[in-house]
Amino acid sequence: MKLWAARISYAGWFLICGLAAGQGESSPAPCPTPCRCDGDGGADCSGKGLPAVPAGLSAFTYYLDISMNNITELPASVFRNLPYLEELRLAGNDLAFIHPEALSGLQHLKVLMLQNNQLKTVPSKALKGLHALQSLRLDANHITVVPEDSFEGLLQLRHLWLDDNSLMEVPVAPLSNLPSLQALTLALNRISHIPDSAFANLSSLVVLHLHNNKIKEIGEHCFNGLENLETLDLNYNNLLEFPEAIKALPNLKELGFHSNNIAVIPDGAFSQNPLLRAIHLYDNPLSFVGSTAFRNLSELHSLIVRGASMVLRFPDLNGTENLESLTLTGTKIDTIPASLCEDLKLLRTLDLSYNEIEELPSFQGCTKLEEITLQHNRIKGIQADVFRGLASLRLLDLSRNQIRSIHKDAFMSLTSLTNLDLSSNALLTLPTSGLGGLNQLKLAGNMDMKGSLSAKDLQKLRTLSVPYAYQCCAFGGCDAYLNTNPDQGSKSDGSRKKIMYSPGEEVCEGSVAEDEGERIQLAVHCSPPTGAFKPCEHLLGSWMIRLTVWFICLVALLFNLLVLVTTFSSSAAVSPAKLLVGLIAASNLLMGVYTGMLSVLDAASWGHFADFGVWWETGAGCRVTGFLAIFSSEASILFLTLAAVERSVTMRDLAKKGKSRRHRQFRAAAGMLGVSATVAACLPLFHVGDFSSSPLCLPFPTGEAPSLGFTVTLVLLNSTAYLLMAVVYTKLYCGLEKTDLLESSPQASMVKHVAWLIFTNCIFFCPVAFFSFAPLITAISISPEIMKSVTLIFLPLPACLNPVLYAFFNPQFKEDWRQIRLCGRWREAKPNAGTAAAVAAGSAAAGLQTGHISPDFYYDCGVYSPLQDNLAVCDCCESLLLAKPVACKHLVKAHSCPALAVVPCQRSDGYWSDCGTPSAQSEYADEGDSFVSDSSDQVQACGRACFYQSRGFPLVHYSYNIPRIKD
């Protein structure tokens, strides 16, 4: 009253002065330059960097804020000109010293804020004269000592903050001087013990905060005298035992002692605290909770027990009928009492997560339940009456259980349900009756749920999470549906229409089903999303990709099969070079089979791939298809690498030694590489990568981490293989002369053929490698459609091109193909083996006598078999029988004349002795697919002689430049 009277007198004096001045203006109240004054006695000088209390303030200032400055001390009588000051803020300075007389004269001061300074002790002498003080903040300093006379005379003090200091003990004596104290905060100190009667004189105390200390022990009578205490916070301490001292708090309403080390809560623990409304005791290593610990707490509204890992039984809540929120998580409770809802009819929130509950009772009596959380239990099924009558339920979380079946009427009465979480269970189907009001539905992790959902039963759905992307197709809008297949968007048959049922609501009509009135809501955020790698309609997407894949498939199957037939149809031994060509063709043939399977699937699921996508990706067919693709790709690259090495080694051996005897080594290496490709293809079957990451059955660029890691590893290995091929062939070409590459021998043609394979395969590998690394580069944004096109076209393209290059540009293929045709003619021409043998013998004899013989007849691989029985072998090929017949033995055998290859006939030492030269022996004994690969005239002559005589041609008519011919 005196303050307001002074203010009125002050205003009246200014009014009189203004009237006396006539036309003069009234002068404003004084305000220092850096401060802001409101004209009503308030001054704000905070954050101005002031080194001292500003001078020149109005004597009638009642509010002064000089916080967040650089004031380090308060000298004596610094506020002597502010007798009416009620609130003084000095927070956030560097105050380390306050003169005992610094606050003298502030008889009306009610609020003093000294937090966030550098004080090391309570300024007890400076506070003595502040009889009107009601709120004192000394938190966030460095106070270690509270003198006993600190708060003497502060009989009106109601709120005291001493938290966030360095106190080691409760200041019992100073606190006894505060009979009116209502709120005390001693949190964030280093207090380890609370003695008995520590707060004995604080009978008015309502709130006591002791959290974040190091309290281990509490005196049994430490809270005596706190009859009016309503809130006690003992959280985040080191309590080992339940605080029995709370029995002295009859008016306690909120108790917190979570995050301690309490192991046991005894029976009747809260029997003396009947007014308790909230108990927070979670995050304690509870091993035992008395069955009657929470009984008869009629005012209890919230109970939270978390992490009680040894609790086996559900607590007895008889008499705690007003409980609204119950949380019991992290226990070993396996059953819920059937009488739960009879005792807790007002329950609104129930959280029983992370327990071992196997069966749910009926919650029919809990009509006010709004949220039920039962995640991470062992629930196996939901009966029809479990949620009956819960018309107020809005959230139901049943995730991470073992639920396999849900009764079709289980959700029938949940008319208010908006959020349902059934993720990570074992559901086969989901009953949608009663779920028309759902806004959010989570079904991810139910990998056995492969069927589609009915969009018409979930018209208000906005967020959907499903196990497979194809289940989102039923919830896509018109535009989303058409965008999945650009070709379909151009149709104008009106099969899909946009209809507006209400403002802002766009639905699709005539999607897949033709039911009247079927409506599919548009604005549904569904995950995982559909797209190019998760198509709703067509697996191969556009017609351009489809036709390209079909073409690759047909060419790969036809030409690779042709290469295999021509390579392995001959009964002669296959050289390493031809063996590797055949193995590459076999690998490419499997890639053709892979593309063929995708083409057949695309045709079989035409326009409705979403109905087949889940079954395809999770089935054995996709795993087999993916295995074929990975094996084919890896085997082809590995065999091509070995072919490059083989060409380099063989050409080097021929140049140095005139022969190459590494057949076994290359065959063994080919076997090892085949095993390596098999292992790489099998890894996704053991969850290293995943064939089911896309309907293409490839662990290629779809974004998933396991598939991406597997793909990147394969790409790096394949890149290393191509680098090795480049180095080997560069070295090979540098070591060969130009004439070696220009000649038409099979050796040179095979070198050039492998070079073409390396070049083309590497060109087609580069786009696949780039898009495999693209998901790792955040700066590159590539549409899935492009990634899918590259994968479908460039991955199998080498399997199409490799056999075409061999068939059209390698002379060896033509030679092998000619042999097959001639063999076919011979088999067609011998319906009677005996007659054919006689005719063959007569023709052969006539030919040998006249010198004119049919080349086709003696070129056939089976002609010598019937001749053996009628003619002497030595008469069939006179020039072949040499003094040392080993030189031509392999040549004859390679041209399907096994009988002549082992002839024991002998001739004189001078008979065609050139065939015994080392060059002839080494060259033709090791390379059976050619008889001309040495520049020596004698060697070439010997080779021609062996070749033509093995065919039955008289040497005099079909050879030349042959020295020492006797006949």
Side-chain angles (χ1 to χ4, degrees):
M1 294 299 292
K2 293 179 180 180
L3 181 61
W4 283 107
R7 290 180 180 177
I8 293 173
S9 300
Y10 181 72
W13 182 80
F14 271 98
L15 178 61
I16 293 172
C17 291
L19 292 174
Q23 300 297 326
E25 296 181 357
S26 59
S27 59
C31 184
T33 301
C35 303
R36 297 190 304 271
C37 302
D38 57 9
D40 192 30
D44 184 1
C45 305
S46 61
K48 303 299 182 181
L50 300 176
V53 177
L57 290 168
S58 171
F60 291 92
T61 301
Y62 77 95
Y63 169 84
L64 175 60
D65 186 358
I66 52 176
S67 59
M68 307 303 293
N69 283 290
N70 298 323
I71 303 172
T72 58
E73 62 178 5
L74 293 179
S77 304
V78 67
F79 301 107
R80 63 180 180 275
N81 296 325
L82 305 173
Y84 301 107
L85 193 63
E86 294 183 4
E87 184 172 345
L88 175 59
R89 300 190 176 191
L90 288 161
N93 283 281
D94 292 325
L95 275 176
F97 173 74
I98 299 178
H99 194 276
E101 300 295 330
L103 303 177
S104 61
L106 300 180
Q107 300 297 325
H108 301 286
L109 191 65
K110 296 181 179 179
V111 178
L112 176 60
M113 296 185 177
L114 293 169
Q115 73 268 24
N116 291 297
N117 281 288
Q118 303 297 322
L119 298 176
K120 296 183 179 180
T121 183
V122 175
S124 56
K125 295 181 179 179
L127 298 174
K128 281 188 177 180
L130 305 179
H131 302 294
L133 193 64
Q134 297 179 5
S135 179
L136 175 61
R137 294 198 60 173
L138 290 166
D139 50 299
N141 280 279
H142 302 285
I143 298 173
T144 58
V145 178
V146 181
E148 293 188 4
D149 61 342
S150 294
F151 308 118
E152 288 183 359
L154 303 184
L155 302 179
Q156 302 297 322
L157 191 65
R158 298 179 181 177
H159 305 103
L160 175 61
W161 282 266
L162 284 170
D163 53 302
D164 200 6
N165 281 287
S166 301
L167 296 176
M168 304 295 292
E169 58 183 13
V170 178
V172 178
L175 293 176
S176 63
N177 299 321
L178 303 173
S180 301
L181 194 64
Q182 297 179 358
L184 172 62
T185 300
L186 291 169
L188 295 163
N189 280 284
R190 301 178 183 178
I191 301 171
S192 60
H193 174 68
I194 301 178
D196 288 338
S197 304
F199 312 101
N201 200 36
L202 303 181
S203 58
S204 301
L205 196 64
V206 178
V207 178
L208 175 59
H209 290 281
L210 292 165
H211 61 85
N212 291 93
N213 277 282
K214 298 181 179 180
I215 302 173
K216 292 183 178 180
E217 298 179 358
I218 292 179
E220 187 176 352
H221 305 288
C222 66
F223 298 132
N224 285 4
L226 300 181
E227 292 84 3
N228 295 311
L229 191 68
E230 297 181 359
T231 301
L232 175 59
D233 188 351
L234 291 167
N235 302 322
Y236 297 103
N237 279 286
N238 298 323
L239 291 174
L240 299 175
E241 297 181 356
F242 180 79
E244 297 283 351
I246 65 171
K247 292 181 178 180
L249 307 175
N251 291 310
L252 191 63
K253 295 181 179 179
E254 183 177 359
L255 172 61
F257 55 93
H258 68 77
S259 303
N260 280 275
N261 295 318
I262 299 172
V264 176
I265 298 179
D267 285 320
F270 309 103
S271 59
Q272 303 300 318
N273 312 108
L275 301 181
L276 272 174
R277 295 183 178 179
I279 301 176
H280 307 283
L281 46 81
Y282 52 88
D283 291 339
N284 280 285
L286 295 175
S287 60
F288 175 79
V289 176
S291 59
T292 63
F294 306 108
R295 183 187 292 179
N296 297 322
L297 298 178
S298 59
E299 298 297 324
L300 189 64
H301 292 276
S302 176
L303 174 61
I304 302 176
V305 180
R306 293 177 181 166
S309 58
M310 301 302 294
V311 175
L312 303 176
R313 298 177 56 190
F314 203 92
D316 183 4
L317 300 175
N318 186 26
T320 313
E321 63 273 1
N322 291 317
L323 194 65
E324 296 180 356
S325 177
L326 174 61
T327 300
L328 296 172
T329 63
T331 72
K332 292 186 178 179
I333 298 173
D334 57 1
T335 58
I336 302 175
S339 61
L340 178 67
C341 288
E342 296 178 4
D343 299 333
L344 306 177
K345 295 184 178 181
L346 300 180
L347 197 62
R348 295 179 180 272
T349 303
L350 177 62
D351 187 353
L352 298 175
S353 305
Y354 294 91
N355 292 296
E356 298 180 3
I357 300 170
E358 298 181 358
E359 188 175 354
L360 296 178
S362 175
F363 296 103
Q364 189 168 358
C366 300
T367 56
K368 294 188 177 181
L369 263 176
E370 297 178 359
E371 297 183 6
I372 298 179
T373 305
L374 292 164
Q375 64 171 319
H376 215 296
N377 280 278
R378 299 179 180 178
I379 304 169
K380 295 181 172 60
I382 306 296
Q383 304 301 321
D385 61 341
V386 172
F387 305 115
R388 184 174 297 167
L390 303 185
S392 300
L393 191 65
R394 295 183 292 104
L395 184 147
L396 178 58
D397 189 349
L398 293 166
S399 61
R400 299 186 180 277
N401 280 279
Q402 302 170 14
I403 302 174
R404 191 166 185 83
S405 63
I406 299 177
H407 194 275
K408 63 178 182 179
D409 297 328
F411 305 131
M412 184 65 73
S413 59
L414 304 182
T415 56
S416 300
L417 190 65
T418 58
N419 192 324
L420 176 59
D421 191 348
L422 287 165
S423 57
S424 299
N425 280 284
L427 287 173
L428 299 176
T429 58
L430 174 68
T432 56
S433 300
L435 301 180
L438 270 185
N439 291 332
Q440 183 174 357
L441 175 61
K442 296 181 180 180
L443 296 170
N446 292 278
M447 307 314 294
D448 294 332
M449 182 184 291
K450 300 180 181 179
S452 59
L453 298 175
S454 176
K456 64 182 180 181
D457 295 335
L458 303 168
Q459 296 184 10
K460 294 186 179 180
L461 200 63
R462 293 295 179 269
T463 303
L464 175 63
S465 175
V466 290
Y468 304 98
Y470 304 104
Q471 294 163 336
C472 289
C473 293
F475 298 88
C478 299
D479 295 335
Y481 182 90
L482 294 177
N483 287 338
T484 59
N485 186 9
D487 297 300
Q488 295 294 327
S490 61
K491 294 183 179 181
S492 58
D493 57 358
S495 60
R496 302 182 67 81
K497 304 176 182 178
K498 294 184 179 180
I499 300 178
M500 305 300 293
Y501 282 88
S502 61
E505 181 182 3
E506 181 185 16
V507 298
C508 296
E509 180 183 73
S511 55
V512 176
E514 300 295 336
D515 299 338
E516 281 293 328
E518 180 177 358
R519 300 166 59 184
I520 302 177
Q521 194 68 32
L522 279 181
V524 178
H525 175 72
C526 189
S527 62
T530 58
F533 284 98
K534 300 290 182 179
C536 291
E537 291 186 319
H538 301 283
L539 172 61
L540 298 183
S542 66
W543 273 104
M544 181 194 73
I545 298 177
R546 182 174 294 107
L547 293 177
T548 305
V549 171
W550 288 354
F551 175 79
I552 292 174
C553 171
L554 294 176
V555 174
L557 291 176
L558 178 61
F559 278 83
N560 282 297
L561 190 61
L562 195 60
V563 172
L564 286 174
V565 170
T566 57
T567 302
F568 297 109
S569 62
S570 174
S571 60
V574 180
S575 66
K578 292 184 65 177
L579 174 65
L580 292 174
V581 169
L583 292 177
I584 293 174
S587 303
N588 294 336
L589 180 65
L590 295 180
M591 182 62 74
V593 174
Y594 164 74
T595 56
M597 294 178 72
L598 293 184
S599 300
V600 171
L601 178 62
D602 177 61
S605 61
W606 186 263
H608 305 285
F609 186 74
D611 298 335
F612 302 90
V614 176
W615 305 97
W616 167 250
E617 288 186 3
T618 59
C622 186
R623 290 192 290 271
V624 172
T625 304
F627 175 85
L628 291 178
I630 298 299
F631 175 81
S632 170
S633 176
E634 294 306 305
S636 177
I637 295 175
L638 294 177
F639 289 145
L640 183 58
T641 306
L642 183 60
V645 175
E646 187 273 337
R647 286 292 85 196
S648 176
V649 172
T650 299
M651 296 302 291
R652 185 179 68 242
D653 289 350
L654 291 177
K656 293 182 178 180
K657 305 176 182 179
K659 62 179 178 179
S660 178
R661 299 184 181 275
R662 302 177 185 267
H663 298 181
R664 292 183 179 179
Q665 291 89 329
F666 286 121
R667 287 185 173 88
M672 293 178 61
L673 293 182
V675 172
S676 301
T678 304
V679 171
C682 288
L683 287 178
L685 299 177
F686 299 95
H687 309 290
V688 181
D690 188 8
F691 285 139
S692 63
S693 59
S694 76
L696 304 182
C697 305
L698 292 173
F700 278 105
T702 57
E704 286 82 0
S707 298
L708 190 60
F710 179 70
T711 302
V712 170
T713 302
L714 289 185
V715 169
L716 291 177
L717 292 177
N718 294 343
S719 301
T720 305
Y722 279 112
L723 181 61
L724 176 63
M725 287 185 248
V727 172
V728 168
Y729 246 64
T730 300
K731 187 176 180 181
L732 172 62
Y733 267 70
C734 292
L736 291 177
E737 297 182 2
K738 188 175 181 180
T739 55
D740 296 332
L741 296 175
L742 292 177
E743 65 180 16
S744 59
S745 67
Q747 298 292 346
S749 63
M750 192 62 71
V751 170
K752 290 183 284 186
H753 175 67
V754 173
W756 274 109
L757 293 185
I758 294 174
F759 176 75
T760 55
N761 282 249
C762 186
I763 290 296
F764 297 140
F765 170 75
C766 289
V768 177
F770 173 77
F771 286 111
S772 298
F773 282 102
L776 296 177
I777 307 173
T778 56
I780 300 178
S781 178
I782 303 175
S783 66
E785 288 77 10
I786 296 178
M787 297 171 67
K788 180 179 179 181
S789 301
V790 169
T791 303
L792 283 173
I793 295 176
F794 284 89
L795 180 66
L797 195 54
C800 166
L801 188 60
N802 291 347
V804 173
L805 290 176
Y806 184 76
F808 286 99
F809 299 102
N810 196 310
Q812 184 60 43
F813 175 82
K814 299 177 182 178
E815 177 72 15
D816 294 340
W817 180 245
R818 184 185 177 194
Q819 292 186 36
I820 293 174
R821 292 180 61 188
L822 292 176
C823 287
R825 292 181 186 179
W826 168 252
R827 293 188 180 94
E828 291 176 1
K830 58 172 186 178
N832 189 313
T835 305
V839 173
S843 300
L848 289 172
Q849 295 174 3
T850 62
H852 300 282
I853 197 165
S854 174
D856 290 343
F857 178 82
Y858 285 96
Y859 201 81
D860 184 72
C861 59
V863 69
Y864 293 102
S865 179
L867 289 178
Q868 293 183 57
D869 299 331
N870 300 281
L871 299 174
V873 175
C874 294
D875 294 335
C876 295
C877 186
E878 294 206 30
S879 298
L880 175 65
L881 306 177
L882 311 174
K884 296 181 180 180
V886 180
C888 300
K889 189 178 294 183
H890 180 75
L891 175 66
V892 175
K893 183 177 180 180
H895 286 84
S896 304
C897 301
L900 296 180
V902 293
V903 170
C905 303
Q906 299 293 330
R907 287 289 187 267
S908 60
D909 294 337
Y911 193 84
W912 199 15
S913 58
D914 291 296
C915 282
T917 61
S919 297
Q921 288 186 27
S922 62
E923 176 64 19
Y924 300 109
D926 290 322
E927 295 298 324
D929 52 358
S930 175
F931 60 88
V932 181
S933 61
D934 195 294
S935 58
S936 171
D937 292 339
Q938 292 185 354
V939 172
Q940 292 187 20
C942 178
R944 292 189 184 94
C946 291
F947 180 75
Y948 284 118
Q949 291 303 314
S950 68
R951 295 298 185 266
F953 301 144
L955 187 62
V956 66
H957 292 289
Y958 294 95
S959 59
Y960 56 91
N961 271 345
I962 301 178
R964 291 189 294 278
I965 300 296
K966 292 188 175 182
D967 185 357

